[in-house]
Amino acid sequence: ASGLITIDPGYKNTGSTKSGITFLDGEKGILRYRGYSIEDLAEKSSFLEVAYLLIYGDLPKQSELNKFQNDIKMHTLVHEDIKRILEGFPSNAHPMGVLSSLVCSLTAFYPESLDPNRSSEAVYLSIIRIMAKVPTMAAWAHKNELGHPVNYPSNNLDYCANFIKMMFAVPAEPFEVDPVIVDALDKLLILHADHEQNCSTSAVRLVGSSQASLYASISAGINALWGPLHGGANQAVIEMLENIKKDGGDIPKYIAKAKDKDDPFRLMGFGHRVYKNFDPRARIIKKAADQVLGKLGIVDPVLDIAKKLEEIALEDEYFVQRKLYPNVDFYSGIIYRAMGIPTEMFTVMFALGRLPGWIAQWKEMRESNEPIGRPRQVYTGPNARNYAELTDR
Ligand code: SDX
């Protein structure tokens, strides 16, 4: 600390705002959206109902839910010119980079979103557009990576079914959406929907605090989520589990690497800044993994490796002492994989789930007229000095 300024790297002990959206108790492993427990919502609600709850503060009445769902349905189509932007990407472009670019390009197609003083109806329309168009753009990013033609949204399918169809349908072949996969996706999106002031949500609030548009703020959230320490962990977990499988299932070797201070390797999907107990979402996803793979008739050796890894780590002093438990990313990739979703799309799935949380947090920040985020620093560079001519250096 120096004078008035206290440095808090990673903001481990800094509260950035007051928020009424999501409550976490890290010691007890409790997560609630607007007061409702994640267990109840994952069991009884639907993703769009939870999105409405997060953004507008209460569970919707039937009429409110119908309007929200229908408004979203009416806006799933994406401007044809966005397909041209998409085709400009190299085919090996990571879908997170494609998606964050396409989402930010919405400011070009809907310039009224740049007006910080636009009406609440215009803000509502921006929110509907983001919820409606991001799944379409995500599926398009996947098709672009495959070099396949994109699929257009169909109005006779619900939100999750529509996304699954756009992801997997191929021209001239009949496509049946599997309800097991649709239900699994709906539950996973609920479980990812918000998580108070995590890295990517903080990015959305900070960018939004400069009065940048909702689209630009969500694009910033997608980029912050991409890193392997955050949303990118679900992809890193599967790559880690695959490596362990290739390595003859030698779990103790990877546990030892994770504990070795000189080895940069970390147990991906383990540990959390807030949870010092089981991440409640990980418990639900672990149970869902057994159910979904069972219903799909899939036996995935990587699931057994994950369970064994969890069992051994939770008996190891290093992890117990540091209160390191499986987090939301540890089992989610196993379900995505069983659904046929490719590994490089896993973090995009996290972004699809987190959309309503980012929107709700951006809206709350704007409605409470928070000042532009502008932290200070403790300066550690050189004192004042005179310019040195090139010939004198
Ligand atoms: C998400 O914030 C959120 O809410 C995020 C999220 C959300 O919904 O938005 O929950 C989603 O991002 C979940 C986290 C996904 N990331 C990973 O699974 C990557 C692996 N986990 C770690 O990198 C780490 O646990 C973090 C990033 C999640 C948390 O890091 P912290 O809070 O900064 O903790 P730290 O790095 O200071 O670790 C404390 C100690 C250290 O050891 P010591 O220096 O005290 O000896 O625990 C060790 C760390 O080395 N440690 C690990 C470890 N995580 C922490 N050691 C081995 N493997 C790990 N995974």
Side-chain angles (χ1 to χ4, degrees):
S2 125
L4 293 176
I5 307 285
T6 307
I7 304 296
D8 181 17
Y11 310 123
K12 295 194 173 186
N13 299 299
T14 295
S16 58
T17 189
K18 286 183 186 158
S19 176
I21 299 168
T22 291
F23 172 76
L24 298 190
D25 179 322
E27 292 310 319
K28 297 194 190 110
I30 293 173
L31 167 57
R32 297 189 199 121
Y33 297 160
R34 301 282 190 182
Y36 294 98
S37 78
I38 192 64
E39 292 79 7
D40 275 355
L41 292 171
E43 192 55 41
K44 300 169 184 164
S45 191
S46 68
F47 178 58
L48 288 189
E49 183 175 79
V50 167
Y52 186 98
L53 167 68
L54 285 166
I55 297 168
Y56 296 104
D58 284 310
L59 287 171
K61 296 182 187 61
Q62 189 63 57
S63 57
E64 292 163 329
L65 183 58
N66 292 347
K67 174 174 175 9
F68 189 60
Q69 284 172 323
N70 294 334
D71 287 350
I72 286 173
K73 243 186 210 180
M74 298 319 291
H75 287 84
T76 49
L77 197 59
V78 171
H79 198 290
E80 201 57 21
D81 286 353
I82 287 191
K83 208 161 82 176
R84 267 174 273 295
I85 299 174
L86 183 72
E87 283 150 8
F89 282 98
S91 61
N92 63 349
H94 195 288
M96 284 293 273
V98 173
L99 185 61
S100 71
S101 308
L102 295 185
V103 167
C104 205
S105 79
L106 290 174
T107 48
F109 291 92
Y110 307 106
E112 72 282 4
S113 71
L114 299 170
D115 172 5
N117 307 311
R118 67 193 188 287
S119 69
S120 55
E121 292 72 27
V123 170
Y124 176 78
L125 190 49
S126 299
I127 290 171
I128 290 298
R129 282 191 184 122
I130 278 276
M131 285 300 297
K133 297 180 192 302
V134 170
T136 306
M137 294 192 282
W140 284 15
H142 170 56
K143 287 297 191 188
N144 178 61
E145 211 182 349
L146 298 176
H148 291 180
V150 297
N151 288 310
Y152 287 88
S154 359
N155 278 342
N156 61 349
L157 289 174
D158 286 338
Y159 196 79
C160 289
N162 213 351
F163 173 72
I164 293 293
K165 179 165 180 271
M166 289 189 282
M167 274 288 285
F168 298 117
V170 291
E173 278 180 30
F175 183 82
E176 273 301 302
V177 182
D178 185 336
V180 172
I181 291 180
V182 172
D183 289 348
L185 177 58
D186 198 79
K187 180 178 284 208
L188 281 168
L189 294 180
I190 290 173
L191 291 164
H192 287 81
D194 193 50
H195 215 236
E196 59 134 278
Q197 306 309 315
N198 58 86
C199 176
S200 52
T201 299
S202 299
V204 169
R205 286 185 82 120
L206 189 63
V207 168
S209 74
S210 73
Q211 293 195 347
S213 77
L214 174 61
Y215 306 135
S217 305
I218 297 293
S219 179
I222 294 170
N223 287 313
L225 185 71
W226 195 351
L229 293 188
H230 192 13
N234 57 16
Q235 178 175 348
V237 167
I238 288 295
E239 287 157 0
M240 170 185 77
L241 294 172
E242 281 293 346
N243 288 339
I244 295 175
K245 190 176 89 178
K246 273 185 220 120
D247 217 346
D250 185 356
I251 293 173
K253 172 180 165 186
Y254 287 82
I255 296 271
K257 276 170 66 72
K259 292 160 61 173
D260 178 356
K261 281 290 153 243
D262 301 329
D263 188 327
F265 173 77
R266 287 193 153 190
L267 218 45
M268 300 315 280
F270 252 76
H272 197 275
R273 173 65 56 76
V274 177
Y275 289 126
K276 300 308 167 194
N277 197 327
F278 257 93
D279 181 332
R281 302 167 295 176
R283 281 190 205 280
I284 298 169
I285 295 174
K286 179 180 178 182
K287 216 181 331 176
D290 282 325
Q291 289 159 356
V292 173
L293 269 67
K295 285 180 190 165
L296 293 174
I298 292 174
V299 177
D300 185 347
V302 150
L303 176 55
D304 300 329
I305 293 175
K307 288 178 179 175
K308 192 82 192 115
L309 183 55
E310 173 190 331
E311 192 187 312
I312 296 174
L314 295 188
E315 284 158 8
D316 185 299
E317 189 45 35
Y318 174 94
F319 294 91
V320 172
Q321 198 189 7
R322 292 169 177 78
K323 299 185 178 178
L324 303 175
Y325 290 87
N327 59 48
V328 68
D329 293 308
F330 191 60
Y331 288 104
S332 56
I334 291 165
I335 301 181
Y336 291 140
R337 190 155 86 152
M339 292 160 65
I341 293 179
T343 314
E344 66 282 349
M345 280 290 287
F346 286 7
T347 308
V348 169
M349 302 308 293
F350 194 139
L352 290 190
R354 189 51 53 90
L355 269 183
W358 285 333
I359 292 167
Q361 300 267 354
W362 177 90
K363 184 169 174 286
E364 180 182 69
M365 178 272 306
R366 293 294 282 269
E367 287 172 350
S368 48
N369 288 313
E370 288 194 2
I372 183 169
R374 202 269 183 232
R376 293 305 308 277
Q377 61 170 22
V378 170
Y379 178 67
T380 59
N383 290 328
R385 51 183 171 163
N386 299 321
Y387 182 78
E389 294 302 334
L390 194 53
T391 48
D392 301 341
R393 288 177 207 158

